[in-house]
Amino acid sequence: MSKLNLFGLDRESLREQFAAWDEKPYRADQVMQWIYGRGVDDFAAMSNVSKSLRVKLEEVAEISVPELVTEQISTDGTRKWVLRLDGGNAVETVFIPEKDRGTLCISSQVGCALDCSFCSTGKQGFNRNMSTAEIISQVWFANRSMGGNKPLHEMKGRRTISNVVFMGMGEPLANYNEVIPAIKILLDDFGFGLSKRRVTVSTSGLVPFMDRMHQEVDVALAVSLHAPTDELRNELVPINKKYPISELMAACDRYIEGKAQRAHILYEYVMLDGVNDSMVEAKALVKLLAGRQAKVNLIPFNPFPDTEYKRPQALRIRTFCEYLNSHGVIATTRRTRGDDIDAACGQLVGRVKNRQRQRLGESPVRLYRQGAV
């Protein structure tokens, strides 16, 4: 009989499980604090938990940490881990240090079904959704790798994980049922205790799940826009054929309804040479975002093998950015990090076995309906 991986349970589910074991719910809180607050994965070390419960936990539960395949450190300090999952699959997790923050980019699927034309992950095909335990264990693993057993809030300097972004491999909202409990653990004071403003979910635009997430958790939202018109976005982001820009923008407006005045949507826009980087697209983007609580993050394209795209010249990107800012749209250009170890935006590939893209053809809809109900 397989053991239950406690990484897969948020506090409510963990309390329910302890009740099923005829244990007091507060015992679940204690164990959760040991796992996340102190970075402990050995039940025997949980000294304020009764000996009988520790013995029981050894028999029925586990705290399963992913196996490290490789670790790479970029010249700019970015770190990338390849972590092994079952079935021969592996995913990539990236830590990006900044002067005032440390951002961990985590994966939510093995591969990706959306097949965005400029993304290396999508070109790998899709294998399966990751479990909540696999998602949240990336954060625990990175925390331990960089700070021993110290809690996140006690870690000092550039190694501190202050932000977690669902921007790694996969479309998070296509794995909705596993991602939401992971978010709750990230926000829980007995979990990682992160602020809601420091957890960001990036989506290519699965509108129904954007609406559901708005009702269930309060975190920052990033939208992979990449084009201001349906014609161009259909080419770059195929999900647009199902949820066109008008529906996507309406969902974005709904997402920030009732939130603080400073709340906004972050629109991600990969800059592709000669494709979406002209003044025509800049003007259309200004028109699209006018009057909305929005920020645009321009991302210089990061190349990968066999891609048809190129990164625009720096002057062209700067001109595009300056036009947006001068016309009332707040825009910044993302500084490329970790590209020397293929850890930059759009470059994560992991090891995806038994890809389903060929079997299911060009339409990704059937894929992300699997397990995303």
Side-chain angles (χ1 to χ4, degrees), residues 57-68:
L57 290 173
E58 290 283 0
E59 295 173 350
V60 300
E62 64 181 356
I63 304 166
S64 182
V65 183
E67 177 187 350
L68 176 64

Side-chain angles (χ1 to χ4, degrees), residues 218-230:
D218 186 7
V219 293
L221 180 68
V223 172
S224 296
L225 186 59
H226 309 305
T229 65
D230 284 324

